[in-house]
Amino acid sequence: MTKALQYVGQGLFYATFAAVIGFFSTSPAYTHLQPDETLIKLSFRHAGQIKGECHERTPEELAELPAYQRKGTMDCPRERADVVVELEMDGKLLLHEVLRPTGWAHSSNANIYRRIPVKAGRHTLKASLRDHDGDDFNYVHEETVNLAPARIMVIDFKAATGGFIFKNKNAT
């Protein structure tokens, strides 16, 4: 008799567990984006320019160094400048980020990944990047895009190809 009660109890437990899983697989309803929204993803990594300038070591400076460090006569700083990124849509600032270079000596890449939900439609996007000390942006890209509802537009950056790349900009 106790074996039969154990099997009944175990069956009720499994049925309850299955009902809970079944409920949460359909409820509450999840909406990734509102029907009239689209998503802009800004994602890239970029190394800023080196801060400071290299200088040639004097013979006295070279003499102070251990023998294994005397190979090069140039002394260059390792630290890189902060990378400043701005994104504007129709003249309004959506994003302003100051990205610190990673690494122990702040000598590696600066990384960014942002998700920005915006209203779908035709917009003018302007992406700007500064990777040196100073106030002027050395990479600026402005373009009119048609953002379809419930789609994703990706903004990437490659300095070797001239700067910002807008992907999926006219998806309908």
Side-chain angles (χ1 to χ4, degrees), residues 96-113:
H96 174 84
E97 291 277 339
V98 179
L99 309 171
R100 188 93 171 118
T102 58
W104 188 263
H106 303 292
S107 59
S108 190
N109 293 324
N111 307 310
I112 186 169
Y113 176 79

Side-chain angles (χ1 to χ4, degrees), residues 77-116:
R78 292 180 59 189
E79 185 176 8
R80 294 188 176 271
D82 293 344
V83 175
V84 179
V85 180
E86 286 187 355
L87 182 64
E88 295 179 18
M89 185 173 79
D90 299 328
K92 295 179 185 174
L93 191 64
L94 289 179
L95 177 84
H96 174 84
E97 291 277 339
V98 179
L99 309 171
R100 188 93 171 118
T102 58
W104 188 263
H106 303 292
S107 59
S108 190
N109 293 324
N111 307 310
I112 186 169
Y113 176 79
R114 298 290 180 272
R115 302 173 76 237
I116 307 165

Side-chain angles (χ1 to χ4, degrees), residues 20 29 59 70 80 86 102 107 126 129 133 164 168:
V20 169
R70 294 182 193 159
R80 294 188 176 271
E86 286 187 355
T102 58
S107 59
K126 179 180 177 184
L129 182 135
D133 290 335
F164 287 98
N168 302 332

